[in-house]
């Protein structure tokens, strides 16, 4: 479901629950302090009378004073029986917007957070991002010593990558090029793409994360499913094409099938045409990627202002 629509449903349910809970509290008080039922009835009648007088242009001060006196008596009764003075009032999850999700014409922070939460749920990596993010990214795990024939140390290399990726994150609303991150197993590629995902989600963009194996399995399930089964998969299928950022992790780890290459081309090509970026992580360097998928897919992954980064160094899992 669209995160905006889901947020509206949650807020609507909150407003309904608020009224149900208020009705329960009122009924509780009426049973324990019966006098308050009579007081509320009098306050209601005086309120109607006051409105009628006001509509006729007549003075309402006397009625308002009576209402205030009765309200004070009610508050005293509540307090003497161990209840707060506002116990019977309507209570909200977020009092600033009264659970409407808007303050005037502006979206309220509670609605914005609900939308972000829904996008986190859609991303498939909500729990993982609590641990794998830039706050916990330890750049000191990368060696400052030269490595083989590389021009700079692993530490200097990851510094450059992080600086450049920060530009991508900060300007994400205007980005349409892909990111391709490659390197040997255990170099922190998945950790890095997860950290990027969290930053993009926190900016209220939608992100979908899938390993290549799960992506191609899902696409095949969808394309060959019977109509009733396909309807259940339709929303997730469309999200792969329409989310603001798609992350395909461990590209090339899947079994090589012609249908997978066809599906990958469709996803990459469609998102490229719509100006929606993809982040790939892979153990395949550029030459191996070309051999594995062919020039048609390679040109779309690597073209269109794409950023290409190699992460190298020691296996971080052994650090």
């Amino acid at each position: 479901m669209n995160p905006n629509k889901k947020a509206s449903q949650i807020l609507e349910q909150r407003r309904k629950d608020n009224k149900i809970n208020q009705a329960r509290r009122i009924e509780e008080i009426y049973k324990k302090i019966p006098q308050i039922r009579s007081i509320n009835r009098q306050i209601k009648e005086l309120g109607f009378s006051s409105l009628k007088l006001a509509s006729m242009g007549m003075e309402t001060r006397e009625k308002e004073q009576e209402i205030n006196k009765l309200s004070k008596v009610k508050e005293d009764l509540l307090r003497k029986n161990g209840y707060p003075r506002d116990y019977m009032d309507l209570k909200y999850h977020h009092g600033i917007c009264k659970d409407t999700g808007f303050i005037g014409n502006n979206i309220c922070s509670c609605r914005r957070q609900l939308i972000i939460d829904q996008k986190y749920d859609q991303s498939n990596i909500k729990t993982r991002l609590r641990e794998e993010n830039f706050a916990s990214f330890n750049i000191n795990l990368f060696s400052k010593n030269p490595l083989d024939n590389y021009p700079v140390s692993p530490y200097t290399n990851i510094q450059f990558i992080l600086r450049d990726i920060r530009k991508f994150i900060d300007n994400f609303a205007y980005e349409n090029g892909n990111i391709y991150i490659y390197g040997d197993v255990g170099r922190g590629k998945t950790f890095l793409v997860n950290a990027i995902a969290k930053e993009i989600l926190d900016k209220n963009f939608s992100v979908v994360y899938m390993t290549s194996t799960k992506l191609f399995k899902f696409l095949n399930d969808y394309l060959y499913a019977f109509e009733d089964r396909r309807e259940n998969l339709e929303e997730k299928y469309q999200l792969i094409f329409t989310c603001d950022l798609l992350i395909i992790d461990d590209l090339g780890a899947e079994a090589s099938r012609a249908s997978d290459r066809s599906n990958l081309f469709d996803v990459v090509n469609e998102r490229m045409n719509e100006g929606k970026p993809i982040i790939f992580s892979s153990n395949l360097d550029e030459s191996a990627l070309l051999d594995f998928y062919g020039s048609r897919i390679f040109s779309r992954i690597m073209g269109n202002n794409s950023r290409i980064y190699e992460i190298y160094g020691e296996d971080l899992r052994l650090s």
Side-chain angles (χ1 to χ4, degrees), residues 285-298:
D285 62 19
E286 295 173 70
S287 176
L289 182 72
L290 177 61
D291 291 340
F292 197 87
Y293 289 109
S295 60
R296 193 167 71 137
I297 293 175
F298 178 86

Side-chain angles (χ1 to χ4, degrees), residues 80-284:
K80 288 177 182 178
N81 284 273
Y83 291 97
R85 55 186 292 182
D86 63 348
Y87 188 73
M88 301 174 72
D89 294 349
L90 190 63
K91 299 185 186 302
Y92 305 97
H93 285 75
H94 195 227
I96 295 176
C97 71
K98 297 183 178 179
D99 295 336
T100 62
F102 292 93
I103 303 173
N105 294 324
N106 298 319
I107 187 170
C108 180
S109 61
C110 70
R111 181 181 178 87
R112 183 177 293 107
Q113 189 59 53
L114 282 172
I115 293 171
I116 290 174
D117 289 345
Q118 296 307 309
K119 290 177 178 177
Y120 261 88
D121 289 340
Q122 288 179 339
S123 73
N124 300 322
I125 48 172
K126 181 177 181 179
T127 55
R128 192 185 305 171
L129 298 189
R130 297 193 186 108
E131 297 181 358
E132 298 186 4
N133 52 66
F134 282 120
S136 58
F137 191 97
N138 186 2
I139 192 173
N140 292 313
L141 292 176
F142 295 85
S143 174
K144 296 181 179 180
N145 298 321
L147 180 69
D148 299 332
N149 297 320
Y150 288 100
V152 297
S153 70
Y155 181 89
T156 301
N157 177 61
I158 197 66
Q159 276 188 316
F160 164 77
I161 292 173
L162 292 177
R163 281 196 301 268
D164 210 44
I165 282 177
R166 174 53 61 186
K167 295 176 184 177
F168 173 85
I169 293 168
D170 291 343
N171 297 295
F172 182 75
Y174 309 101
E175 293 286 351
N176 56 23
N178 299 325
I179 290 180
Y180 187 80
I181 302 172
Y182 71 96
D184 292 337
V185 174
R187 269 55 182 180
K189 300 184 298 296
T190 297
F191 194 114
L192 180 57
V193 299
N194 288 342
I196 298 170
K198 185 180 189 306
E199 295 290 315
I200 301 300
L201 283 164
D202 288 346
K203 288 178 174 291
N204 202 11
F205 292 102
S206 56
V207 176
V208 170
Y209 167 98
M210 300 183 80
T211 63
S212 62
T213 301
K214 289 185 177 180
L215 172 64
F216 296 137
K217 181 182 183 304
F218 172 80
L219 291 174
N220 281 315
D221 287 347
Y222 173 83
L223 293 172
Y224 295 105
F226 290 109
E227 186 173 349
D228 56 343
R229 165 71 172 156
R230 184 177 292 189
E231 288 180 1
N232 295 330
L233 303 175
E234 182 67 29
E235 183 177 337
K236 185 175 180 179
Y237 177 77
Q238 293 299 330
L239 196 58
I240 290 169
F241 294 90
T242 61
C243 64
D244 296 313
L245 176 63
L246 175 65
I247 295 176
I248 303 178
D249 195 16
D250 215 9
L251 185 68
E254 74 284 350
S256 179
R257 295 177 296 187
S259 62
D260 291 342
R261 291 191 291 274
S262 176
N263 288 333
L264 179 60
F265 177 83
D266 289 343
V267 170
V268 177
N269 190 61
E270 180 68 23
R271 289 186 62 86
M272 184 182 74
N273 291 338
E274 295 297 322
K276 292 181 177 295
I278 306 174
I279 294 180
F280 302 88
S281 81
S282 178
N283 298 338
L284 304 176

